[in-house]
Amino acid sequence: MGVPRTGTTLLSNLLAADPARRSPLTWEIDDPVPPVASADLLTTDPRAQARLAQEKAMLEANPAMGKYYRGSAVYPNECVFFMAHDFKTLMIDSKGKLPEYKEFIFSCDMTSAYEYHKKFLQVLQQNAGGVWNVKKPSHALWLETIFKVYPDARVLWAHRDPFTATGSLCSVISLSHMAHMGKPDTAWLKENYTWQAAEHANRIMDFRDKHGEDKVIDVHYADMTADPIGTMKKVYQQLGDEWTAEAEAGIQQWVNDNPQDKFGKHEYKLAQYGIEKAELEPLFERYLSRYDVAREG
């Protein structure tokens, strides 16, 4: 979890490369029933193969799409895509200027959504269990509810320069606006998503202030990109999990197969959305004064 666009996808993929872990994969989130017959079939099930073929055709038709989100039918995907079944998700908020929904989603009781989340995973694990590795940046907003539904949860917070992350978030949401409205509402992007980015960090800090630092483990994007193996060894130590040869081999293979900017560089500027760094400084003052986050310019 974390502020959106801070490396949560990278962290999730690195964890998922360990064969001892189990992640909800894109194809099975979209087509969960019947659940896969065994763990050996998670990447070869006909539904997985059909999605891979579809994905290949989409990337061939629009190669630039790979710049925005490093996903695959057989990679782990975000909980947002099944928590949306309960209609409580920021994915709905991203479709346009929806101030009433924004007010709802940031103040509602998320218990039903997380209870559904648990049931969904129980269906998927019927024949293919394991230690679940799940990812969604906005888990950051509802930590009290998460620990109520999952008392043994272990939570990783991905840190990155919040100014870079905010620009990237606005860029990604602008694509959703293009798809649903025909053009991005840049004024709404500036108003809503700068606030949302800061709110993610603030709610985690509020939770830590109340419950202590050790309920959340910090992982820095700069460390993951500079030294993925060393960083993941440290993460495993903090989790109390065994670092195995199989984990290291799987993670190294994923790193080898997925170099940075594999599909091109995702380029964006705050100025595209009428945002200046000086406007963001008060929003992230608390966060940046508390955590030593590498700045990206």
Side-chain angles (χ1 to χ4, degrees), residues 9-82:
T9 298
L10 172 59
L11 179 54
S12 178
N13 284 330
L14 292 174
L15 286 166
D18 180 351
R21 299 189 185 278
R22 174 80 162 92
S23 299
L25 306 181
T26 299
W27 77 263
E28 61 176 344
I29 289 173
D30 291 343
D31 199 354
V33 178
V36 68
S38 72
D40 295 338
L41 301 176
L42 280 167
T43 60
T44 59
D45 185 286
R47 292 168 290 180
Q49 293 299 306
R51 281 296 303 270
L52 283 169
Q54 182 186 46
E55 176 185 291
K56 181 180 178 182
M58 289 175 64
L59 271 175
E60 288 174 349
N62 187 4
M65 283 303 298
K67 295 189 296 185
Y68 300 101
Y69 188 83
R70 186 170 295 185
S72 166
V74 294
Y75 281 1
N77 212 335
E78 292 197 22
C79 304
V80 64
F81 295 108
F82 55 96

Side-chain angles (χ1 to χ4, degrees), residues 184-244:
D185 186 327
T186 54
W188 180 244
L189 291 174
K190 176 180 179 179
E191 175 188 343
N192 186 26
Y193 290 95
T194 56
W195 176 84
Q196 281 200 23
E199 185 68 3
H200 281 69
N202 287 333
R203 290 202 184 184
I204 304 173
M205 290 186 289
D206 290 345
F207 179 86
R208 279 185 142 174
D209 288 345
K210 182 177 179 181
H211 297 284
E213 297 290 322
D214 60 352
K215 298 282 277 188
V216 177
I217 295 169
D218 301 290
V219 188
H220 287 257
Y221 177 78
D223 296 336
M224 286 191 283
T225 54
D227 181 13
I229 295 297
T231 301
M232 294 311 292
K233 283 183 178 179
K234 182 179 178 181
V235 168
Y236 271 59
Q237 183 180 28
Q238 291 175 292
L239 287 170
D241 289 352
E242 181 184 5
W243 178 259
T244 65

